[in-house]
Amino acid sequence: ADVAAVAISRAMLFAERDRRIRELSALNEISQAISSTLDLEEIFSRLHESLSTVIDTTNFYVALYDPEKDEVSFPYYVDEGKRGKGGSRKAGSGLTEYIIRTHEPLFLPDKVEERIKELEGVQLTGKKALSWLGVPLIVGDRAIGVIVVQSYERENAFDVTDLNFLVTVAGQAAVAIQNALLFQEEKKRREMALTLREMGELLSSTLDLEAIINGALDYLKRIVDYDTASLSLLEDNVLRIVAGRGFGEKMEEILQVTFDPEKNIPFRRMKETLRPVLIADTREEDILNKVAGVERIRSWIGAPLVYKGEVIGQLAVDKEVPGFFTPEDAEAVMIFAGQLAVAIQNARLYQETVTLAEELEERVRQRTAELQQAMEDLARERDMVETLYRITERLTATLDLDRILNEAL
């Protein structure tokens, strides 16, 4: 018995040592990986990969919290070993939000549903987990997000050792994630400034309306990622789609679409407020006109084209992912639409000037032709008068009729 006990004890020590070695190796890999990049996707991927050597990460996600919008996003989400679309949502009463509010880890090794009932203001969302472990990502005095692992198949899939290890990892990861977020924001601002400058150069270099519209939609893709985009102009109290991107073979059909500006709810809001309209989820705010393809849209932004206080059209982008667009995206589209509105109106005025000049030129040509014809008619009348004068003069000078007729003819 003593020999067996010693063997078991030694085996446990070896297992603990092996675990510790794997933890230290993983921590070293994570530290090197996250300190060598400012790319969020790479940070999450390397974090997941290194954690997998120590903890079961078959079901794993990273959630980030935006306090200004009070939203939780899931930029990295693995379910049953497969990457999925995490999306985003308004902060609610889930376990993720509980950790963000309390700034404390949450360990539910078993009896998850029963334990959740003991937590104030928490409701279980999503798939039913048999074991659940989440730790906060803390930067200063703020929780910027959460790292979670869970098991749908067995209880006690995680233990206190896993909890302590994940807390340590989160401490390292939080700073790297925050730096990446700040870098991402700054990069986005610089890209937007560069794009707006390049677009401004395009708009100032041409007065061709088609070139302006097509170039603008291409530049817009660099500012806001969209599935499809459309530009509609108000003509004779009808809102008509005049250009688009991302519609493929349906583009010709889309160009036939028109809207009643008084019945189109988003456009009416834009006219009233001169501000963009952001629909986070079209299934919750079902106000888009029922046209071909609208059923696939989940996120939508519409920005008014405003010129001297008047709305002359609408710039719209959409995405098939709910909650994809942010208020910052809406502001970016609005700034873009402002530049585009001025360029479009200038191009219209130029075209009107060209058309007027052509009309005036045509009228001058017609008038010149009329004057030429009148002068030719006058010349013929003058010749007739001169001929009659000569005949009369001869009649008074001679009575030889044959001679007079020959000279006249």
Side-chain angles (χ1 to χ4, degrees), residues 74-246:
F74 300 85
Y76 195 88
Y77 191 91
V78 177
D79 191 68
E80 301 288 4
K82 297 179 180 179
R83 278 295 301 270
K85 289 185 178 180
S88 63
R89 70 186 185 210
K90 274 291 182 182
S93 55
L95 294 174
T96 299
E97 288 88 341
Y98 179 82
I99 294 175
I100 292 170
R101 288 198 306 270
T102 62
H103 292 197
E104 295 292 337
L106 182 59
F107 179 36
L108 307 174
D110 57 11
K111 301 177 182 178
V112 173
E113 289 190 69
E114 294 181 21
R115 293 177 184 269
I116 286 177
K117 293 177 182 178
E118 299 173 2
L119 302 174
E120 185 177 351
V122 175
Q123 294 180 349
L124 183 61
T125 59
K127 288 185 180 179
K128 179 182 177 181
L130 299 181
S131 188
W132 199 93
L133 170 60
V135 297
L137 294 164
I138 303 293
V139 176
D141 60 351
R142 297 185 302 112
I144 65 168
V146 176
I147 297 176
V148 172
V149 289
Q150 54 188 326
S151 175
Y152 305 135
E153 298 179 353
R154 63 190 180 94
E155 294 186 335
N156 298 303
F158 313 105
D159 57 28
V160 174
T161 305
D162 295 325
L163 169 62
N164 293 332
F165 175 64
L166 202 57
V167 167
T168 303
V169 169
Q172 287 189 348
V175 175
I177 291 171
Q178 177 70 359
N179 289 340
L181 287 171
L182 293 173
F183 175 77
Q184 192 178 66
E185 291 174 5
E186 179 60 25
K187 182 181 178 182
K188 190 173 182 179
R189 281 195 293 267
R190 289 186 179 184
E191 287 178 349
M192 181 176 176
L194 176 62
T195 300
L196 290 174
R197 188 183 72 188
E198 291 179 358
M199 180 184 167
E201 292 173 355
L202 166 69
L203 300 182
S204 62
S205 67
T206 180
L207 287 168
D208 183 283
L209 187 57
E210 184 176 351
I212 288 171
I213 291 173
N214 289 326
L217 290 177
D218 291 336
Y219 277 116
L220 180 60
K221 183 73 172 179
R222 289 168 51 180
I223 292 179
V224 178
D225 184 24
Y226 59 75
D227 289 331
T228 65
S230 64
L231 176 68
S232 305
L233 295 179
L234 194 59
E235 300 171 345
D236 299 325
N237 205 34
V238 174
L239 190 62
R240 185 185 307 278
I241 295 179
V242 297
R245 286 290 184 277

Side-chain angles (χ1 to χ4, degrees), residues 263-298:
K263 295 180 180 179
N264 187 287
I265 297 175
F267 186 73
R268 203 167 64 228
R269 287 185 187 174
M270 292 180 222
K271 284 191 68 177
E272 292 171 354
T273 64
L274 302 183
R275 298 289 301 155
V277 173
L278 169 61
I279 303 176
D281 191 344
T282 56
R283 293 183 185 175
E284 294 181 2
E285 191 175 6
D286 187 15
I287 61 173
L288 295 181
N289 281 50
K290 299 299 183 283
V291 296
V294 73
E295 66 280 351
R296 65 167 181 77
I297 298 174
R298 293 297 302 275

Side-chain angles (χ1 to χ4, degrees), residues 307-364:
Y307 182 79
K308 293 185 176 180
E310 295 293 327
V311 176
I312 64 171
Q314 164 189 292
L315 182 61
V317 295
D318 62 63
K319 200 75 177 172
E320 295 181 10
V321 180
F324 183 85
F325 296 123
T326 66
E328 288 75 17
D329 291 327
E331 287 299 324
V333 177
M334 184 67 196
I335 293 172
F336 199 88
Q339 279 197 340
L340 185 56
V342 174
I344 288 174
Q345 197 64 12
N346 286 343
R348 280 177 161 179
L349 292 173
Y350 172 74
Q351 189 57 52
E352 289 175 5
T353 302
V354 170
T355 301
L356 179 60
E358 291 175 348
E359 290 176 354
L360 288 173
E361 185 177 344
E362 177 62 20
R363 289 170 64 183
V364 168

